[in-house]
Amino acid sequence: MRSRRGTYGLAMLTAAAMLAGCAAGGGGAGSRAGGGTEASGSAQSVGEDAAGASTAGGSSLETGGSAETEAAPDLWKLHTTEELMAVDYLLYRVNCGAAEDAGGETGLYQTVADQPYGADAGTGKQWGYRPADGMEAVEDDTGEDLTRYRWEIREDAEYDAEQTGFYYDFEVPRGTYEVTLGFYNPFSARKLTAEAEGQTVMEDQKILKYQLTENTFSTAVSDGSLQLKVYNPDRGRDAMKNPVLSYILVRAVPDYTADLLKQLLKQTATGENVAPGRQTPRYTAASYEAFTEQYRAAEALAQKDGAAEEEYRMQYTALKNAYEGLEEIRVYDSFLPGKKWTDDEGNLIQAHGGQVQRLTVTDPATGQTAEKWWWVGEDKTNGSSRSGICAYSSDDLYNWHYEGIVMRNVESRAQLDEEEYFTSLYADYTPEQKDRVFACLDAKSAIIERPKLIFNEKTGLYVLWFHADGPTETSDSSYAAACAGVAVSDTPYGPFRFIDRYRLNTCPPDQEDFHPQSKGMARDMNLFVDEDGTAYIIYSSEENLTLYISKLNDEYTYLAVPPEQAVYRRDYIRLFPGAQREAPALFVRDGAYYLMTSGCTGWAPNQARYYRADSVLGEWENCGDPCVGDENHTTFESQSTCIFRAGDSYIYMGDRWNSEDLKNSRYIWLPVEFDDAGGMSISYTDEWKLP
Ligand code: DGJ
């Protein structure tokens, strides 16, 4: 993310002064809709006095200069309904902070993405922003199209609670307009306020981190100029609460009639949900179903003459939204780090804190055996990881097919005795064992993170380990149990049967224990199977202060020997005592062992560090941060979860957590490079392909 243009300082006051003279006040008759204003969507009403002029006690755009102007022409005299419908009534679509030539769709009155106030070079319409002190255009590679750019206020800029913000002015004919403000903000949550025509139309709208927020309202304009202001009067002294603004849409509001609805029906008739040239669905099932429902309802209403305009409006809007909400299923041919990544049904991939490997799998539905890429991870649909562990398969690593939840969490103790899924899975468990299963997998309290899967040649079972946490009898903390959980299945499709969760090895008496009050803790974890078939679990212990590597037994279902009998260096080692590392990802390359790690800062990204050794339980050397050009030292805003080999390539898999909306966390997959001496490096790229 970077600032893509200069910031505006005092030198820009000339432009501001020029703009100050542009927004003439003055009357004119009311809009076509009768001069009133109305709220729509999440909007608040914008008032207007009887004469149709804005009642605002001063728009923030100063209206100095000529007080009287000619009455603005009426929108519907200037344009036909067909003309406006063809552009979806869109007069302006401003990608705030984008360069004029940034491209992208534009409204009828505009030919550039954004501009300082002035005449549009293509349409001659006067529109744009008022350059102001501290205003900074930022390009954000986590966003796309309208969320790729935004205005921010520089943190060190002088801040006036009432004045600092973003000001836009749009030349429009007399009429009623629906205005949408879009906000996309990767930093802290903040509340914003907006004025249109000098009236508050949005107050304290919460803009959540990494979440697109839109606010739509309607406003009548009679003086030929629509004025907007976005600011945060309650910002106080917290610069992280500075206003941001990603886009503005200005739409004409038509008369809603049966005929208009019929026109929309014609425009949105999409036929069957089949991708052109393919037999696969074109749109996601959910979005196509929602669209079909609205299409049918609109067809029925369009046959009805004389319904209330409001009824036509609601149905028109519902159909239009459902049409716009049709989500095309995307086919990928590259990795797009940090972008939304959907599966082959168009749903967001839910496999956080995961692991990818090549497996030979037999599809239980078809009985067909094939080599597949297999991705297990946390399903965070219900926040934290209450939904369970899921799996995806792929032939090319770019496009993934959802294989379902392979280990389900448990909703209630009764469910284990009543639901067929659980009764057959735990058929030979005693009631006490089932109590334990419930305590460890309780969907309301259990924390199940960072699942990792390995295949055991000897038993023919797939073994799933994960960070199994949750409150205990003595602590309500969600991370009190600090255990490693294990489950098995004879197929990677699951269902996996939970065996138990355990505390693991402890600090030997002759070494300094960094958390002696709670022994054997195990949190962020990973697995590694060495070339000789020995498996290891790598995990954060001692309250995340020290990493451990412990050898597993031949079945991979428990430690090689219980902690009381474990011999230091033969059965386990402690790594970097007190260094506070987590998110371990261990792999081998050309006989050298690599361990990627992160620091411990909750969901916030931090600087990576990797280590190298000649053997898993050998001496590990600190090799520093492998990230190149990672200016913020945040592992490119991600946290490691796995590094795996694909052909001759090694791929870094990281999570870009969205702590306020975990299911909307993104994946950062990047190529890992090695120099002649075996030094590892990771550089950022927006898009890449396997060689
Ligand atoms: C960092 C860990 O790596 C994640 O898996 C998760 O446990 C978060 N901490 C919780 O804050």
Side-chain angles (χ1 to χ4, degrees), residues 353 378 447 449-450 467 479 523-524 544 582-583 598-603 639-640 657:
E378 303 161 36
I447 298 283
E449 292 180 341
R450 299 186 172 268
H467 169 195
Y479 286 90
R523 292 213 179 100
D524 276 15
N544 295 348
E582 63 179 8
S598 78
C600 301
T601 49
W603 301 111
Q639 189 183 27
S640 44
W657 300 113

Side-chain angles (χ1 to χ4, degrees), residues 535-570:
Y536 299 87
I537 180 165
I538 307 102
Y539 54 97
S540 299
S541 190
E542 299 176 17
E543 192 64 359
N544 295 348
L545 284 158
T546 304
L547 278 172
Y548 277 53
I549 303 183
S550 294
K551 204 185 273 179
L552 295 180
N553 64 13
D554 288 351
E555 292 76 31
Y556 302 165
T557 51
Y558 186 56
L559 295 173
V561 289
E564 316 77 69
Q565 294 157 26
V567 176
Y568 193 76
R569 231 182 256 269
R570 183 195 70 185

Side-chain angles (χ1 to χ4, degrees), residues 191-449:
K191 287 180 182 165
L192 298 185
T193 292
E195 290 173 9
E197 298 293 275
Q199 305 245 336
T200 301
V201 286
M202 175 182 108
E203 206 168 1
D204 290 343
Q205 168 74 58
K206 197 159 185 206
I207 314 298
L208 290 178
K209 185 175 166 182
Y210 272 129
Q211 207 166 291
L212 176 64
T213 307
E214 277 193 347
N215 193 295
T216 301
F217 49 87
S218 64
T219 182
V221 178
S222 55
D223 60 3
S225 159
L226 165 61
Q227 298 160 3
L228 294 175
K229 171 185 179 184
V230 174
Y231 67 127
N232 180 6
D234 295 324
R235 174 257 204 196
R237 289 197 295 179
D238 185 354
M240 291 305 282
K241 303 267 181 278
N242 279 352
V244 296
L245 177 60
S246 301
Y247 56 88
I248 304 171
L249 312 176
V250 179
R251 284 202 153 84
V253 181
D255 263 350
Y256 293 99
T257 61
D259 277 348
L260 193 74
L261 198 53
K262 281 181 194 150
Q263 286 190 46
L264 183 65
L265 279 162
K266 220 190 283 169
Q267 224 183 57
T268 57
T270 61
E272 277 181 40
N273 186 14
V274 173
R278 291 188 290 134
Q279 280 313 301
T280 50
R282 173 172 187 179
Y283 302 110
T284 63
S287 74
Y288 192 72
E289 217 171 274
F291 164 72
T292 318
E293 192 185 315
Q294 293 309 330
Y295 194 87
R296 293 212 184 100
E299 268 179 328
L301 185 63
Q303 296 314 318
K304 224 165 100 181
D305 267 338
E309 183 177 7
E310 179 59 8
E311 214 182 321
Y312 291 123
R313 186 187 72 77
M314 280 176 49
Q315 191 51 59
Y316 185 98
T317 312
L319 176 57
K320 188 163 147 299
N321 288 346
Y323 182 66
E324 281 166 5
L326 276 172
E327 263 185 286
E328 289 234 18
I329 294 173
R330 208 165 155 180
V331 178
Y332 298 90
D333 64 358
S334 63
F335 297 111
L336 298 163
K339 293 281 155 31
K340 253 175 98 171
W341 201 352
T342 46
D343 65 15
D344 61 2
E345 290 172 65
N347 301 313
L348 263 190
I349 294 177
Q350 288 297 326
H352 310 279
Q355 167 221 34
V356 165
Q357 64 191 302
R358 192 87 173 142
L359 289 181
T360 305
V361 297
T362 304
D363 186 332
T366 62
Q368 278 181 353
T369 298
E371 280 226 342
K372 296 256 177 220
W373 290 105
W374 200 260
W375 183 354
V376 289
E378 303 161 36
D379 179 353
K380 290 203 174 291
T381 309
N382 299 319
S384 203
S385 65
R386 307 286 145 84
S387 310
I389 296 171
C390 54
Y392 292 81
S393 65
S394 170
D395 292 324
D396 58 9
L397 288 169
Y398 306 127
N399 296 286
W400 292 88
H401 179 72
Y402 181 59
E403 299 290 1
I405 303 275
V406 295
M407 193 193 79
R408 273 176 63 183
N409 288 1
V410 189
E411 300 297 329
S412 68
R413 173 64 181 83
Q415 199 180 27
L416 289 175
D417 293 326
E418 289 164 5
E419 198 179 320
E420 150 65 20
Y421 174 95
F422 293 110
T423 52
S424 57
L425 196 55
Y426 295 109
D428 55 359
Y429 274 37
T430 63
E432 292 71 32
Q433 282 176 305
K434 286 190 190 175
D435 290 348
R436 178 77 176 156
V437 173
F438 178 57
C440 298
L441 300 186
D442 181 349
K444 284 179 220 63
S445 58
I447 298 283
I448 305 293
E449 292 180 341

